[in-house]
Amino acid sequence: MSARIVPVKTKKVSKPSIFLKMLPPLLVCIAFCLFSCRVPTDAPITTNPTSTTVVHATEAQNIAYICADVDQNWGTNWPTVLQALDGLIDQNKTCGPEPLLSKKYAAHFNYASELESSSQIELAVENYTLAFQIDPNRTEALNALVRLVALPEPTAVVCESDLPPLPDPSLMLPNQAVEFVTLKNDQLYWQGEAYIVKGVNYYPRLAPWHRFLIESDLAQIEEELGLIADAGFNTVRIFLWYEPLFQCQPEDAIPNEAMFQKVDEIIRIANLYDLKIILTLNDLPDLLFRPLYTDWARYDAQTTYIVRRYMHEPAILAWDLRNEGDLDYGARDANEARFTKDEVIDWLSHISRVVQENDPNHLVTAGWWGDPSVTEAHVDFLSFHHWYDAASLKAKIDEYIIKTEKPILLEEVGYHSWASGPVDQRDEDEQAVLLQQAVELSEAEGLLGWVIWTAFDFAPQNEQAENFEHHFGLWRIDLSPKPALGSIIPEKDQSK
């Protein structure tokens, strides 16, 4: 699940000219000169602004005036807006709850759109690129650069490692016989007993998404996994982002041992609490410059290293080959398709063989946002994600059961509890009801189990604006449980 924020035009407000009337002309000139000295002169847009920004008697008045000037010129004079935003960012100031970098992204994108519509393609590409550099995860500038065949060339990775080739990690054999989760007659088994997945998707609450491996704290992870196990869950789904795990070029597959030792510790902690892990591979891959689906052989060595390193690990329930790969061929919105369905499925077929040849011990699945039946030939069991009500969940299950002969896991199901959001408000009691209905239905339909999105609410990063994606947790940021936790696994029935 990933955040996508569409640029929103700032509401225009009238410039408060009363301040000008209160200041003598000389003071206006002096103050303007002082402000100009603080604004960067190397702004990326060189068009001359048509309005004058005036500094007022106090810093607060000055900032308020500049923010008003941004609003007034929004949509009519993008160079002026960008110059003002640069000045505010340089002074570490804000204009309301939206981060200034988000405003600057939107300004560059909207300016580029305006330039493109007037056939000023070179300047349009320049501004789309500046927006893309501010936030490569947002799709508006990215899609424009793809459409104009103007994606910037990737910077080659300089390999500074002189490490000798590492031994095959699969040679690190366990000291005793190891038993793995198996699949028989459409049922998972562990140590001879049926294993029904009762799980949560997991990121540390203070280091979610791409921050996970880089910023997470092992003591906090141990505390959080302990809470998950104590509540009665038996499975966690975790995501591996390759970039911090390896050095140099992907095909070199030189491991960053410090990062792998953190993964080792997370697996050790999961073992300590009797938690099984669905370990998702190929998270946050390169889909732009050397795309995973069209240059897939480039990344095989990294995946091979990971699965061979952990091929003897009993805590791993299954490898998830790719999170929501069907979104990349437009399963949710055809306008967002970057690849063809054939390209994604051909890659899935290939990477499934790579994983199964290098690790014959663990099961394989692929968590699809929509219909998972297209993955059937390449996985041991199907996995799908669901974000709507129980009625539509039942319709999905009925449809998928007809299409496949393999068992199915509800791998992501979740509802936010952000009651203060501007749209789609929902409180914690509503979240509890919706999750209870989804869990009860998946169990009644005989699925392999369910995995909730997500264990914990997430803390926004730095200037990141809080949004509904930070509020899907069963626990709040302070680790207090929400009503949804008790609705899923009642306190008197927290059995594994």
Side-chain angles (χ1 to χ4, degrees), residues 348-386:
L348 186 68
S349 173
H350 165 76
I351 201 64
S352 176
R353 291 194 302 272
V354 169
V355 169
Q356 291 174 321
E357 288 171 0
N358 286 282
D359 176 9
N361 298 325
H362 293 108
L363 301 170
V364 169
T365 191
W368 249 222
W369 182 86
D371 184 356
S373 63
V374 296
T375 70
E376 180 179 20
H378 316 297
V379 298
D380 295 305
F381 61 89
L382 276 59
S383 296
F384 76 100
H385 302 169
H386 179 76

mmCIF file of all heavy atoms in Angstrom, residues 348-386:
data_model
loop_
_atom_site.group_PDB
_atom_site.id
_atom_site.type_symbol
_atom_site.label_atom_id
_atom_site.label_comp_id
_atom_site.label_asym_id
_atom_site.label_seq_id
_atom_site.Cartn_x
_atom_site.Cartn_y
_atom_site.Cartn_z
ATOM 1 N N LEU A 348 7.195 -12.800 -13.076
ATOM 2 C CA LEU A 348 6.764 -13.603 -11.933
ATOM 3 C C LEU A 348 7.104 -15.073 -12.151
ATOM 4 O O LEU A 348 7.590 -15.756 -11.232
ATOM 5 C CB LEU A 348 5.259 -13.432 -11.719
ATOM 6 C CG LEU A 348 4.679 -14.101 -10.474
ATOM 7 C CD1 LEU A 348 5.197 -13.420 -9.218
ATOM 8 C CD2 LEU A 348 3.153 -14.077 -10.516
ATOM 9 N N SER A 349 6.870 -15.551 -13.357
ATOM 10 C CA SER A 349 7.214 -16.934 -13.679
ATOM 11 C C SER A 349 8.715 -17.172 -13.513
ATOM 12 O O SER A 349 9.145 -18.183 -12.936
ATOM 13 C CB SER A 349 6.782 -17.243 -15.117
ATOM 14 O OG SER A 349 7.245 -18.508 -15.521
ATOM 15 N N HIS A 350 9.502 -16.225 -13.983
ATOM 16 C CA HIS A 350 10.953 -16.357 -13.897
ATOM 17 C C HIS A 350 11.434 -16.330 -12.447
ATOM 18 O O HIS A 350 12.208 -17.208 -12.020
ATOM 19 C CB HIS A 350 11.609 -15.224 -14.681
ATOM 20 C CG HIS A 350 13.066 -15.048 -14.379
ATOM 21 N ND1 HIS A 350 14.042 -15.885 -14.876
ATOM 22 C CD2 HIS A 350 13.714 -14.137 -13.601
ATOM 23 C CE1 HIS A 350 15.219 -15.502 -14.424
ATOM 24 N NE2 HIS A 350 15.047 -14.448 -13.656
ATOM 25 N N ILE A 351 10.992 -15.332 -11.668
ATOM 26 C CA ILE A 351 11.516 -15.186 -10.311
ATOM 27 C C ILE A 351 11.033 -16.310 -9.418
ATOM 28 O O ILE A 351 11.722 -16.720 -8.472
ATOM 29 C CB ILE A 351 11.152 -13.802 -9.719
ATOM 30 C CG1 ILE A 351 12.112 -13.448 -8.569
ATOM 31 C CG2 ILE A 351 9.703 -13.762 -9.241
ATOM 32 C CD1 ILE A 351 13.546 -13.286 -8.992
ATOM 33 N N SER A 352 9.864 -16.871 -9.709
ATOM 34 C CA SER A 352 9.381 -18.020 -8.949
ATOM 35 C C SER A 352 10.320 -19.204 -9.127
ATOM 36 O O SER A 352 10.664 -19.900 -8.153
ATOM 37 C CB SER A 352 7.969 -18.389 -9.406
ATOM 38 O OG SER A 352 7.520 -19.557 -8.749
ATOM 39 N N ARG A 353 10.773 -19.434 -10.358
ATOM 40 C CA ARG A 353 11.713 -20.533 -10.603
ATOM 41 C C ARG A 353 13.036 -20.273 -9.887
ATOM 42 O O ARG A 353 13.631 -21.188 -9.303
ATOM 43 C CB ARG A 353 11.951 -20.700 -12.099
ATOM 44 C CG ARG A 353 10.752 -21.233 -12.861
ATOM 45 C CD ARG A 353 11.147 -21.692 -14.262
ATOM 46 N NE ARG A 353 11.754 -20.616 -15.044
ATOM 47 C CZ ARG A 353 11.066 -19.761 -15.792
ATOM 48 N NH1 ARG A 353 9.737 -19.846 -15.844
ATOM 49 N NH2 ARG A 353 11.677 -18.828 -16.494
ATOM 50 N N VAL A 354 13.507 -19.025 -9.925
ATOM 51 C CA VAL A 354 14.766 -18.675 -9.257
ATOM 52 C C VAL A 354 14.674 -18.991 -7.764
ATOM 53 O O VAL A 354 15.589 -19.601 -7.174
ATOM 54 C CB VAL A 354 15.100 -17.180 -9.479
ATOM 55 C CG1 VAL A 354 16.255 -16.747 -8.563
ATOM 56 C CG2 VAL A 354 15.455 -16.918 -10.933
ATOM 57 N N VAL A 355 13.586 -18.581 -7.138
ATOM 58 C CA VAL A 355 13.426 -18.781 -5.697
ATOM 59 C C VAL A 355 13.302 -20.260 -5.361
ATOM 60 O O VAL A 355 13.974 -20.777 -4.452
ATOM 61 C CB VAL A 355 12.203 -17.998 -5.180
ATOM 62 C CG1 VAL A 355 11.867 -18.397 -3.743
ATOM 63 C CG2 VAL A 355 12.464 -16.494 -5.269
ATOM 64 N N GLN A 356 12.467 -20.976 -6.107
ATOM 65 C CA GLN A 356 12.237 -22.380 -5.776
ATOM 66 C C GLN A 356 13.457 -23.250 -6.067
ATOM 67 O O GLN A 356 13.684 -24.247 -5.368
ATOM 68 C CB GLN A 356 11.010 -22.881 -6.531
ATOM 69 C CG GLN A 356 9.722 -22.240 -6.013
ATOM 70 C CD GLN A 356 8.507 -22.603 -6.840
ATOM 71 O OE1 GLN A 356 8.560 -22.680 -8.059
ATOM 72 N NE2 GLN A 356 7.384 -22.821 -6.157
ATOM 73 N N GLU A 357 14.246 -22.883 -7.051
ATOM 74 C CA GLU A 357 15.473 -23.644 -7.331
ATOM 75 C C GLU A 357 16.529 -23.424 -6.254
ATOM 76 O O GLU A 357 17.320 -24.331 -5.962
ATOM 77 C CB GLU A 357 16.032 -23.236 -8.695
ATOM 78 C CG GLU A 357 15.204 -23.751 -9.873
ATOM 79 C CD GLU A 357 15.642 -23.147 -11.195
ATOM 80 O OE1 GLU A 357 16.606 -22.321 -11.173
ATOM 81 O OE2 GLU A 357 15.038 -23.461 -12.233
ATOM 82 N N ASN A 358 16.550 -22.238 -5.668
ATOM 83 C CA ASN A 358 17.569 -21.916 -4.669
ATOM 84 C C ASN A 358 17.114 -22.143 -3.239
ATOM 85 O O ASN A 358 17.945 -22.165 -2.327
ATOM 86 C CB ASN A 358 18.021 -20.467 -4.843
ATOM 87 C CG ASN A 358 18.909 -20.281 -6.048
ATOM 88 O OD1 ASN A 358 20.091 -20.611 -6.016
ATOM 89 N ND2 ASN A 358 18.343 -19.769 -7.136
ATOM 90 N N ASP A 359 15.815 -22.327 -3.037
ATOM 91 C CA ASP A 359 15.292 -22.627 -1.705
ATOM 92 C C ASP A 359 14.092 -23.564 -1.848
ATOM 93 O O ASP A 359 12.961 -23.123 -1.984
ATOM 94 C CB ASP A 359 14.880 -21.353 -0.978
ATOM 95 C CG ASP A 359 14.249 -21.650 0.380
ATOM 96 O OD1 ASP A 359 14.293 -22.822 0.815
ATOM 97 O OD2 ASP A 359 13.695 -20.719 0.985
ATOM 98 N N PRO A 360 14.337 -24.852 -1.812
ATOM 99 C CA PRO A 360 13.236 -25.815 -1.940
ATOM 100 C C PRO A 360 12.460 -26.031 -0.649
ATOM 101 O O PRO A 360 11.497 -26.811 -0.635
ATOM 102 C CB PRO A 360 13.958 -27.103 -2.367
ATOM 103 C CG PRO A 360 15.316 -26.985 -1.732
ATOM 104 C CD PRO A 360 15.661 -25.515 -1.771
ATOM 105 N N ASN A 361 12.830 -25.333 0.424
ATOM 106 C CA ASN A 361 12.231 -25.600 1.730
ATOM 107 C C ASN A 361 10.976 -24.779 2.019
ATOM 108 O O ASN A 361 10.110 -25.212 2.787
ATOM 109 C CB ASN A 361 13.252 -25.328 2.838
ATOM 110 C CG ASN A 361 14.465 -26.232 2.747
ATOM 111 O OD1 ASN A 361 14.357 -27.390 2.357
ATOM 112 N ND2 ASN A 361 15.627 -25.694 3.085
ATOM 113 N N HIS A 362 10.890 -23.594 1.439
ATOM 114 C CA HIS A 362 9.804 -22.685 1.816
ATOM 115 C C HIS A 362 8.768 -22.533 0.710
ATOM 116 O O HIS A 362 9.084 -22.649 -0.481
ATOM 117 C CB HIS A 362 10.373 -21.306 2.170
ATOM 118 C CG HIS A 362 11.207 -21.308 3.408
ATOM 119 N ND1 HIS A 362 12.582 -21.165 3.385
ATOM 120 C CD2 HIS A 362 10.869 -21.451 4.708
ATOM 121 C CE1 HIS A 362 13.049 -21.211 4.633
ATOM 122 N NE2 HIS A 362 12.023 -21.379 5.453
ATOM 123 N N LEU A 363 7.547 -22.233 1.121
ATOM 124 C CA LEU A 363 6.452 -22.003 0.188
ATOM 125 C C LEU A 363 6.623 -20.657 -0.506
ATOM 126 O O LEU A 363 7.366 -19.781 -0.032
ATOM 127 C CB LEU A 363 5.118 -22.052 0.927
ATOM 128 C CG LEU A 363 4.818 -23.375 1.655
ATOM 129 C CD1 LEU A 363 3.581 -23.218 2.542
ATOM 130 C CD2 LEU A 363 4.640 -24.515 0.662
ATOM 131 N N VAL A 364 5.895 -20.490 -1.609
ATOM 132 C CA VAL A 364 5.982 -19.273 -2.403
ATOM 133 C C VAL A 364 4.578 -18.760 -2.698
ATOM 134 O O VAL A 364 3.668 -19.538 -3.020
ATOM 135 C CB VAL A 364 6.732 -19.545 -3.731
ATOM 136 C CG1 VAL A 364 6.599 -18.366 -4.685
ATOM 137 C CG2 VAL A 364 8.200 -19.838 -3.459
ATOM 138 N N THR A 365 4.387 -17.433 -2.598
ATOM 139 C CA THR A 365 3.132 -16.791 -2.960
ATOM 140 C C THR A 365 3.443 -15.441 -3.594
ATOM 141 O O THR A 365 4.610 -15.062 -3.733
ATOM 142 C CB THR A 365 2.201 -16.640 -1.735
ATOM 143 O OG1 THR A 365 0.893 -16.235 -2.166
ATOM 144 C CG2 THR A 365 2.758 -15.624 -0.733
ATOM 145 N N ALA A 366 2.390 -14.712 -3.986
ATOM 146 C CA ALA A 366 2.555 -13.358 -4.541
ATOM 147 C C ALA A 366 1.312 -12.559 -4.160
ATOM 148 O O ALA A 366 0.204 -12.899 -4.586
ATOM 149 C CB ALA A 366 2.734 -13.393 -6.054
ATOM 150 N N GLY A 367 1.503 -11.525 -3.359
ATOM 151 C CA GLY A 367 0.382 -10.745 -2.841
ATOM 152 C C GLY A 367 -0.170 -9.778 -3.864
ATOM 153 O O GLY A 367 0.401 -8.712 -4.075
ATOM 154 N N TRP A 368 -1.274 -10.119 -4.482
ATOM 155 C CA TRP A 368 -1.871 -9.285 -5.524
ATOM 156 C C TRP A 368 -2.927 -8.362 -4.944
ATOM 157 O O TRP A 368 -3.692 -8.737 -4.049
ATOM 158 C CB TRP A 368 -2.491 -10.180 -6.589
ATOM 159 C CG TRP A 368 -1.810 -10.176 -7.925
ATOM 160 C CD1 TRP A 368 -2.428 -10.160 -9.135
ATOM 161 C CD2 TRP A 368 -0.408 -10.199 -8.234
ATOM 162 N NE1 TRP A 368 -1.509 -10.167 -10.163
ATOM 163 C CE2 TRP A 368 -0.252 -10.191 -9.629
ATOM 164 C CE3 TRP A 368 0.743 -10.208 -7.452
ATOM 165 C CZ2 TRP A 368 0.988 -10.187 -10.268
ATOM 166 C CZ3 TRP A 368 1.970 -10.220 -8.082
ATOM 167 C CH2 TRP A 368 2.087 -10.202 -9.463
ATOM 168 N N TRP A 369 -2.986 -7.132 -5.464
ATOM 169 C CA TRP A 369 -4.003 -6.172 -5.044
ATOM 170 C C TRP A 369 -5.390 -6.648 -5.470
ATOM 171 O O TRP A 369 -6.357 -6.500 -4.734
ATOM 172 C CB TRP A 369 -3.715 -4.807 -5.667
ATOM 173 C CG TRP A 369 -4.677 -3.735 -5.263
ATOM 174 C CD1 TRP A 369 -4.617 -2.938 -4.156
ATOM 175 C CD2 TRP A 369 -5.859 -3.337 -5.972
ATOM 176 N NE1 TRP A 369 -5.683 -2.080 -4.119
ATOM 177 C CE2 TRP A 369 -6.465 -2.299 -5.225
ATOM 178 C CE3 TRP A 369 -6.463 -3.764 -7.157
ATOM 179 C CZ2 TRP A 369 -7.641 -1.678 -5.624
ATOM 180 C CZ3 TRP A 369 -7.641 -3.152 -7.555
ATOM 181 C CH2 TRP A 369 -8.219 -2.119 -6.803
ATOM 182 N N GLY A 370 -5.478 -7.218 -6.650
ATOM 183 C CA GLY A 370 -6.756 -7.687 -7.176
ATOM 184 C C GLY A 370 -6.758 -9.185 -7.375
ATOM 185 O O GLY A 370 -6.269 -9.944 -6.534
ATOM 186 N N ASP A 371 -7.296 -9.632 -8.498
ATOM 187 C CA ASP A 371 -7.488 -11.049 -8.797
ATOM 188 C C ASP A 371 -6.148 -11.794 -8.802
ATOM 189 O O ASP A 371 -5.305 -11.574 -9.674
ATOM 190 C CB ASP A 371 -8.176 -11.173 -10.155
ATOM 191 C CG ASP A 371 -8.506 -12.609 -10.527
ATOM 192 O OD1 ASP A 371 -8.137 -13.524 -9.756
ATOM 193 O OD2 ASP A 371 -9.129 -12.809 -11.583
ATOM 194 N N PRO A 372 -5.936 -12.721 -7.849
ATOM 195 C CA PRO A 372 -4.657 -13.431 -7.779
ATOM 196 C C PRO A 372 -4.616 -14.683 -8.643
ATOM 197 O O PRO A 372 -3.584 -15.357 -8.682
ATOM 198 C CB PRO A 372 -4.570 -13.801 -6.302
ATOM 199 C CG PRO A 372 -5.999 -14.076 -5.923
ATOM 200 C CD PRO A 372 -6.835 -13.100 -6.740
ATOM 201 N N SER A 373 -5.695 -15.007 -9.340
ATOM 202 C CA SER A 373 -5.727 -16.261 -10.091
ATOM 203 C C SER A 373 -4.683 -16.288 -11.194
ATOM 204 O O SER A 373 -4.233 -17.367 -11.601
ATOM 205 C CB SER A 373 -7.122 -16.504 -10.673
ATOM 206 O OG SER A 373 -7.475 -15.506 -11.610
ATOM 207 N N VAL A 374 -4.244 -15.095 -11.669
ATOM 208 C CA VAL A 374 -3.229 -15.052 -12.724
ATOM 209 C C VAL A 374 -1.868 -15.526 -12.219
ATOM 210 O O VAL A 374 -0.977 -15.824 -13.014
ATOM 211 C CB VAL A 374 -3.099 -13.627 -13.304
ATOM 212 C CG1 VAL A 374 -4.391 -13.210 -13.992
ATOM 213 C CG2 VAL A 374 -2.719 -12.622 -12.223
ATOM 214 N N THR A 375 -1.698 -15.609 -10.903
ATOM 215 C CA THR A 375 -0.418 -16.059 -10.332
ATOM 216 C C THR A 375 -0.400 -17.568 -10.084
ATOM 217 O O THR A 375 0.628 -18.109 -9.674
ATOM 218 C CB THR A 375 -0.133 -15.341 -9.002
ATOM 219 O OG1 THR A 375 -1.052 -15.821 -7.985
ATOM 220 C CG2 THR A 375 -0.296 -13.838 -9.138
ATOM 221 N N GLU A 376 -1.498 -18.247 -10.311
ATOM 222 C CA GLU A 376 -1.674 -19.637 -9.877
ATOM 223 C C GLU A 376 -0.552 -20.558 -10.313
ATOM 224 O O GLU A 376 -0.058 -21.388 -9.531
ATOM 225 C CB GLU A 376 -3.010 -20.182 -10.389
ATOM 226 C CG GLU A 376 -3.262 -21.626 -9.963
ATOM 227 C CD GLU A 376 -4.613 -22.144 -10.450
ATOM 228 O OE1 GLU A 376 -5.164 -21.561 -11.402
ATOM 229 O OE2 GLU A 376 -5.095 -23.133 -9.867
ATOM 230 N N ALA A 377 -0.114 -20.431 -11.563
ATOM 231 C CA ALA A 377 0.896 -21.353 -12.084
ATOM 232 C C ALA A 377 2.265 -21.153 -11.457
ATOM 233 O O ALA A 377 3.149 -22.008 -11.623
ATOM 234 C CB ALA A 377 0.995 -21.189 -13.602
ATOM 235 N N HIS A 378 2.462 -20.072 -10.707
ATOM 236 C CA HIS A 378 3.804 -19.708 -10.241
ATOM 237 C C HIS A 378 3.937 -19.682 -8.722
ATOM 238 O O HIS A 378 4.998 -19.318 -8.210
ATOM 239 C CB HIS A 378 4.172 -18.334 -10.807
ATOM 240 C CG HIS A 378 3.807 -18.185 -12.257
ATOM 241 N ND1 HIS A 378 4.364 -18.964 -13.239
ATOM 242 C CD2 HIS A 378 2.911 -17.371 -12.876
ATOM 243 C CE1 HIS A 378 3.848 -18.630 -14.424
ATOM 244 N NE2 HIS A 378 2.964 -17.671 -14.217
ATOM 245 N N VAL A 379 2.882 -20.064 -7.995
ATOM 246 C CA VAL A 379 2.902 -19.982 -6.535
ATOM 247 C C VAL A 379 2.326 -21.262 -5.926
ATOM 248 O O VAL A 379 1.651 -22.048 -6.602
ATOM 249 C CB VAL A 379 2.089 -18.758 -6.038
ATOM 250 C CG1 VAL A 379 2.698 -17.458 -6.555
ATOM 251 C CG2 VAL A 379 0.620 -18.868 -6.455
ATOM 252 N N ASP A 380 2.585 -21.436 -4.620
ATOM 253 C CA ASP A 380 2.007 -22.579 -3.902
ATOM 254 C C ASP A 380 0.604 -22.269 -3.406
ATOM 255 O O ASP A 380 -0.238 -23.161 -3.320
ATOM 256 C CB ASP A 380 2.909 -22.952 -2.720
ATOM 257 C CG ASP A 380 4.264 -23.459 -3.173
ATOM 258 O OD1 ASP A 380 4.298 -24.418 -3.973
ATOM 259 O OD2 ASP A 380 5.289 -22.890 -2.745
ATOM 260 N N PHE A 381 0.383 -21.025 -3.033
ATOM 261 C CA PHE A 381 -0.972 -20.599 -2.657
ATOM 262 C C PHE A 381 -1.167 -19.152 -3.101
ATOM 263 O O PHE A 381 -0.197 -18.409 -3.275
ATOM 264 C CB PHE A 381 -1.220 -20.759 -1.149
ATOM 265 C CG PHE A 381 -0.307 -19.959 -0.258
ATOM 266 C CD1 PHE A 381 -0.629 -18.654 0.133
ATOM 267 C CD2 PHE A 381 0.875 -20.507 0.224
ATOM 268 C CE1 PHE A 381 0.207 -17.924 0.959
ATOM 269 C CE2 PHE A 381 1.721 -19.779 1.058
ATOM 270 C CZ PHE A 381 1.379 -18.485 1.426
ATOM 271 N N LEU A 382 -2.427 -18.769 -3.306
ATOM 272 C CA LEU A 382 -2.754 -17.435 -3.800
ATOM 273 C C LEU A 382 -2.916 -16.468 -2.624
ATOM 274 O O LEU A 382 -3.362 -16.870 -1.543
ATOM 275 C CB LEU A 382 -4.048 -17.461 -4.614
ATOM 276 C CG LEU A 382 -3.944 -17.857 -6.096
ATOM 277 C CD1 LEU A 382 -3.350 -19.255 -6.246
ATOM 278 C CD2 LEU A 382 -5.304 -17.799 -6.774
ATOM 279 N N SER A 383 -2.579 -15.214 -2.858
ATOM 280 C CA SER A 383 -2.746 -14.169 -1.844
ATOM 281 C C SER A 383 -3.362 -12.942 -2.494
ATOM 282 O O SER A 383 -2.950 -12.550 -3.581
ATOM 283 C CB SER A 383 -1.405 -13.785 -1.211
ATOM 284 O OG SER A 383 -0.841 -14.879 -0.501
ATOM 285 N N PHE A 384 -4.345 -12.336 -1.809
ATOM 286 C CA PHE A 384 -4.953 -11.116 -2.338
ATOM 287 C C PHE A 384 -5.187 -10.123 -1.213
ATOM 288 O O PHE A 384 -5.150 -10.475 -0.019
ATOM 289 C CB PHE A 384 -6.261 -11.435 -3.085
ATOM 290 C CG PHE A 384 -7.439 -11.728 -2.184
ATOM 291 C CD1 PHE A 384 -8.402 -10.755 -1.929
ATOM 292 C CD2 PHE A 384 -7.600 -12.981 -1.605
ATOM 293 C CE1 PHE A 384 -9.492 -11.019 -1.111
ATOM 294 C CE2 PHE A 384 -8.684 -13.268 -0.791
ATOM 295 C CZ PHE A 384 -9.632 -12.278 -0.543
ATOM 296 N N HIS A 385 -5.454 -8.864 -1.607
ATOM 297 C CA HIS A 385 -5.636 -7.766 -0.659
ATOM 298 C C HIS A 385 -7.037 -7.178 -0.814
ATOM 299 O O HIS A 385 -7.604 -7.181 -1.913
ATOM 300 C CB HIS A 385 -4.583 -6.684 -0.903
ATOM 301 C CG HIS A 385 -3.174 -7.188 -0.804
ATOM 302 N ND1 HIS A 385 -2.073 -6.446 -1.191
ATOM 303 C CD2 HIS A 385 -2.677 -8.383 -0.354
ATOM 304 C CE1 HIS A 385 -0.972 -7.150 -0.968
ATOM 305 N NE2 HIS A 385 -1.315 -8.328 -0.482
ATOM 306 N N HIS A 386 -7.580 -6.655 0.283
ATOM 307 C CA HIS A 386 -8.966 -6.162 0.251
ATOM 308 C C HIS A 386 -9.106 -4.954 1.179
ATOM 309 O O HIS A 386 -8.647 -4.986 2.317
ATOM 310 C CB HIS A 386 -9.930 -7.267 0.701
ATOM 311 C CG HIS A 386 -11.362 -6.842 0.709
ATOM 312 N ND1 HIS A 386 -12.103 -6.723 -0.445
ATOM 313 C CD2 HIS A 386 -12.189 -6.488 1.723
ATOM 314 C CE1 HIS A 386 -13.327 -6.327 -0.143
ATOM 315 N NE2 HIS A 386 -13.401 -6.179 1.161
#
